[in-house]
Amino acid sequence: MKEIILLKDGEIALKGLNRYSFEDTMIKNAKRRLSSLGRFRFYKAQSTIYIEPMEEGLDMEEAVERLKKVFGIAAICRTCVAEKNWEDICRLAPVYLKDTLEEASTFKVTAKRSDKKFPLNSPQICNELGGLLLSRFPHLRVDVKNPDVIVTVEIRDYAAYIHAGQLPGPGGMPVGSSGRAMLLLSGGIDSPVAGYMMAKRGLELSAVHFVSPPYTSDRAKLKVIQLAHLMTPYCGNINLHIVNLTKIQERMLDKCPEDLFTILLRRFMMDIAQRLSLKESSSALITGESLAQVASQTVYAIACTDAMVQQPVFRPLIGMDKEEIIRIARSIGTFETSILPYEDCCTVFTPKHPKTKPTLQMVLEAETLLPEREELIAEALEAVETVKVTMSGAAGYIE
Ligand code: ATP
Ligand code: MG
């Protein structure tokens, strides 16, 4: 018995002539996610993407789990392939659907016939197959309004497909179809969620994480590499740049007003992130900021950080409550790692009374106290460590 997976796309289908390039990006992403499971063949026909296993014993359940995280896919359907004749459909349906139907109490049959030359019409298919399944599984009842299982028969160009309905895909746009952006990834709850949300709109991600050793530890850095790793089933590979801010922070502590420390630090971060972004042909920055969550996320503070950079800054969490953010973090599997209690460079030297209403003028004046700003940034960029994080790990850290 041959089993394959059908994918249907959602929003992409509305893209007119560009549809095919979006689909190709989605197929490329899906291929990559399945490649470590074995050989699959992908092809398109009748606005459906077909994924056919090319080896015996491939893990179809895991394949479906992985596809549930590939943005752009609207629905996923695991289905049995039958010859396009009534005998073969009747032979395979009870065998293929045995476990599902044994667990169900009610069912109905629906039929889709894109080949109108098939000898039975849709109501006939439903009646005949419904009767056959009732005789084989006598505990079942037909319920056309709210059945436990909808048995579907699709008569297409070259074959018939029998399945028990489709699963929702993750929706969104294929990663890479919207270009690339640089995520400021901390070890917290918010920034992985922000990255996930923008990847869902088709952005491929690079990431930057700022450390401040010895005030921040190796395990804090490892935690962030782990977070990036947890994002890869959704976002694909991530080039994670690790930038050392120790000298910049010590210098600021020495020379700048304490109550502006956080906002000055955030401007350094944005500045460095944008330089890395430009180097990677990435067109925007992404942060996990949420309005009023902390002192550095007031509208005044955000105005000062934004003024540092020219690239657009995407803040998908800006209007969300922590509870909503946590719900997403849990569902994508980053929450448990995010709450490990390790240091972040933002929490070393935090001022006791940070200014919640800084003005750009105040901030620019404070920055004149650091005339060596350019050299400090150049030095930090010189020493960047870049870790390539993939679904299978991160060389040197997660094997
Ligand atoms: P998160 O939960 O993402 O850490 P947060 O609520 O702790 O966010 P802040 O510490 O003010 O907020 O950081 C706001 C945003 O700045 C983060 O979402 C992230 O995008 C960026 N950021 C903060 N610290 C770092 C860091 N060490 N490296 C990279 N980006 C950072
Ligand atoms: Mg944080």
Side-chain angles (χ1 to χ4, degrees), residues 116-153:
K116 303 290 179 205
K117 290 202 283 297
F118 192 73
L120 281 77
N121 64 22
S122 296
Q124 285 169 328
I125 294 174
C126 297
N127 277 333
E128 300 273 328
L129 188 61
L132 173 81
L133 293 175
L134 278 175
S135 71
R136 297 284 178 87
F137 302 93
H139 73 285
L140 283 179
R141 270 187 311 109
V142 173
D143 179 347
V144 287
K145 285 224 179 79
N146 191 21
D148 297 338
V149 178
I150 301 178
V151 173
T152 307
V153 179

Side-chain angles (χ1 to χ4, degrees), residues 184-186 188-191 210 266 287-288 293 296-297 344 346:
L184 284 85
L185 182 61
S186 70
I189 297 166
D190 304 332
S191 44
F210 297 98
R266 301 205 51 80
T287 79
Q293 198 186 74
S296 63
Q297 296 173 25
D344 183 74
C346 283

Side-chain angles (χ1 to χ4, degrees), residues 25 97 192 313 329 366:
T25 305
L97 300 171
V313 182

